[in-house]
Amino acid sequence: MSQFKTLSDYDVAGKRILLRADLNVPMKNGVVTDSTRIERTLPTIVELVQKGARVVLITHWGRPKGERVAEMSLAPVAEALAAKLGQNVKFASDCIGEVAEKVVNSLSDTEVCVLENLRYYKEETDNDIEFAKKLAALGDLYVNDAFSCAHRAHASTEALARLLPSAAGRLMQAELEALSGALEAPQRPLAALVGGAKVSTKLDVLNNLSAKVDMLIIGGGMANTFLNAQGIDVGNSLCEHDLADTAKEILANAKKNGCDIVLPIDGVVAKEFAAGAENRIVKLQDGVGADEMILDVGPASIADIVERLGNCKTIVWNGPMGAFEIEPFDAGTNGAAQAAAALTNAGTLVSVAGGGDTVAALDHAGAKDDFTYISTAGGAFLEWLEGKELPGVEVLRATA
Ligand code: AMP
């Protein structure tokens, strides 16, 4: 990975730092209901404050589509940030122009302000350079701490970095270091675990990973599509029958790339998609009943996955191994996650996970805190797994 600058590369004392964070936090009736995103970017804010900077936070919230939607104001977010930070946070009711300038110019060293929702201007999502110039006028240095927004080329994530000296914030830095450690220069053997519902939503993920990893362990609903392609009767399971040829191609390409594809050998099947549904364990080579659904990988598959993980040095994980939200079909995800967590704790495995339901699945398994790195970046994490360049990251590298 070519380098990018970080907070360590600049003297920030007395400077106005335009900090692009992801403060798109859940809110209900004007009250922040989950501060996780604030907490994750807090180390960057605290470091800047402690170094005597003037911190100007910019972020989007929701999709106001270029309109001033009162319910999408960031005023409650500024309040929630003040509570976490333990100091006053000023708020500007506009993110550009005189109103924003007045608040930014009123900041003393170590003070923090939040500017109003960037997406009140459609120029933000248009990556409009004139809008970016108006933002740039409010800062001396641009810091991007919003990896979760880096897959979008917006004015505050892309154009702005070309107008001011720029750096990755500590959260962005941690994310990039963890991700590059896992796929760009990993300790091998390197395995990817890919599960979840459908092959069609993760075609690019599967193709990219099978060219990079030594072993691709496929579970969840998407394994059914691969089993079906191999002539196994998956009954009433979630299965994309029309993707049989695509699945075969992925298998053939993986083989060409020397990537070992691991599919479940047994499954837990039920007639109902419901918690506690009557179920049985089947060897998948025998197929399942016409009215049965494979809802989880079976115990032999879990044992197989656990043994393979024991031989790996690095894993990347996206998607649950089964319908983890409903017991007992969470056993496969739990078993693999707990094994990965234990190996990570023992210091023999680097484990990186993220995207969609994965964080919830690993949390459910009680394994979340033991992984080396869990990305909460959803869409950006998936695009990274797909091997795509993320505009918000590329521009930090290009301008470093
Ligand atoms: P994704 O967002 O693609 O990662 O998919 C996550 C969803 O896949 C979760 O809601 C799981 O319940 C679902 N899922 C995983 N395995 C299965 C399965 N064997 N049958 C049906 N749904 C599944």
Side-chain angles (χ1 to χ4, degrees):
M1 173 187 274
S2 58
Q3 258 315 320
F4 49 89
K5 290 210 162 90
T6 72
L7 295 189
S8 308
D9 292 301
Y10 294 96
D11 178 8
V12 298
K15 303 260 170 61
R16 297 169 304 158
I17 312 299
L18 261 184
L19 174 58
R20 177 51 162 111
D22 181 2
L23 301 180
N24 187 26
V25 289
M27 267 201 276
K28 210 172 175 187
N29 301 325
V31 178
V32 173
T33 53
D34 179 349
S35 305
T36 308
R37 284 188 166 151
I38 295 176
E39 283 157 19
R40 285 177 70 89
T41 205
L42 214 52
T44 301
I45 302 173
V46 169
E47 181 174 339
L48 289 168
V49 167
Q50 284 174 351
K51 288 179 171 172
R54 305 170 181 205
V55 185
V56 180
L57 274 152
I58 51 173
T59 181
H60 76 282
W61 198 92
R63 295 189 173 168
K65 298 189 178 157
E67 305 286 330
R68 271 195 165 262
V69 181
E71 298 75 45
M72 296 188 182
S73 169
L74 287 164
V77 175
E79 269 177 43
L81 172 62
K84 289 278 163 204
L85 203 54
Q87 76 176 59
N88 185 41
V89 171
K90 293 182 176 174
F91 177 68
S93 59
D94 205 345
C95 62
I96 52 170
E98 273 177 34
V99 173
E101 269 164 33
K102 208 169 153 202
V103 174
V104 171
N105 291 339
S106 78
L107 292 181
S108 306
D109 296 354
T110 77
E111 284 195 325
V112 178
C113 72
V114 172
L115 306 187
E116 186 54 288
N117 198 342
L118 293 162
R119 289 195 189 162
Y120 279 1
Y121 292 88
K122 78 171 200 22
E123 290 87 341
E124 158 65 359
T125 48
D126 290 346
N127 199 16
D128 183 281
I129 192 77
E130 295 307 321
F131 177 70
K133 282 181 188 166
K134 290 179 188 162
L135 290 171
L138 302 168
D140 305 307
L141 171 68
Y142 167 74
V143 175
N144 189 350
D145 217 19
F147 177 80
S148 48
C149 307
H151 56 316
R152 312 234 186 266
H154 290 172
S156 68
T157 60
E158 210 276 337
L160 190 49
R162 290 186 269 122
L163 299 172
L164 287 175
S166 57
R170 296 301 184 199
L171 174 59
M172 171 75 92
Q173 183 186 348
E175 192 99 31
L176 294 179
E177 285 171 357
L179 301 193
S180 75
L183 276 196
E184 289 177 32
Q187 297 255 38
R188 291 180 183 268
L190 162 67
L193 281 92
V194 182
K198 290 183 174 175
V199 169
S200 54
T201 59
K202 294 188 187 171
L203 275 178
D204 292 340
V205 171
L206 293 166
N207 280 321
N208 180 46
L209 288 178
S210 66
K212 290 195 171 142
V213 305
D214 304 304
M215 191 192 304
L216 181 53
I217 299 172
I218 300 177
M222 70 168 57
N224 302 337
T225 300
F226 283 91
L227 295 168
N228 170 66
Q230 292 182 329
I232 290 171
D233 188 351
V234 296
N236 196 25
S237 302
L238 176 63
C239 174
E240 292 171 290
H241 293 270
D242 55 329
L243 287 188
D245 286 342
T246 307
K248 280 187 205 158
E249 261 171 52
I250 293 172
L251 291 171
N253 281 337
K255 199 168 177 190
K256 236 186 318 178
N257 292 327
C259 167
D260 195 6
I261 293 221
V262 179
L263 289 166
I265 41 192
D266 61 348
V268 186
V269 300
K271 290 179 183 167
E272 272 182 284
F273 189 96
E278 197 178 312
N279 61 82
R280 69 186 184 103
I281 292 156
V282 294
K283 279 197 186 132
L284 290 171
Q285 66 186 20
D286 301 335
V288 312
D291 55 354
E292 289 179 318
M293 293 174 281
I294 307 165
L295 292 182
D296 196 12
V297 296
S301 307
I302 301 174
D304 180 44
I305 294 171
V306 170
E307 191 185 331
R308 289 172 189 273
L309 291 182
N311 296 324
C312 289
K313 292 233 168 72
T314 309
I315 62 161
V316 178
W317 185 331
N318 171 261
M321 295 289 105
F324 77 98
E325 300 96 332
I326 50 171
E327 282 179 28
F329 310 106
D330 54 350
T333 304
N334 291 348
Q338 286 156 8
L343 291 163
T344 308
N345 268 336
T348 62
L349 185 71
V350 171
S351 50
V352 174
D357 279 341
T358 314
V359 184
L362 298 184
D363 197 16
H364 175 85
K368 199 177 98 177
D369 295 339
D370 294 323
F371 269 56
T372 310
Y373 194 80
I374 304 254
S375 171
T376 50
F381 182 84
L382 273 179
E383 290 203 16
W384 169 76
L385 280 187
E386 288 168 358
K388 290 190 180 146
E389 289 195 341
L390 308 180
V393 172
E394 289 313 311
V395 75
L396 288 182
R397 289 173 172 168
T399 55

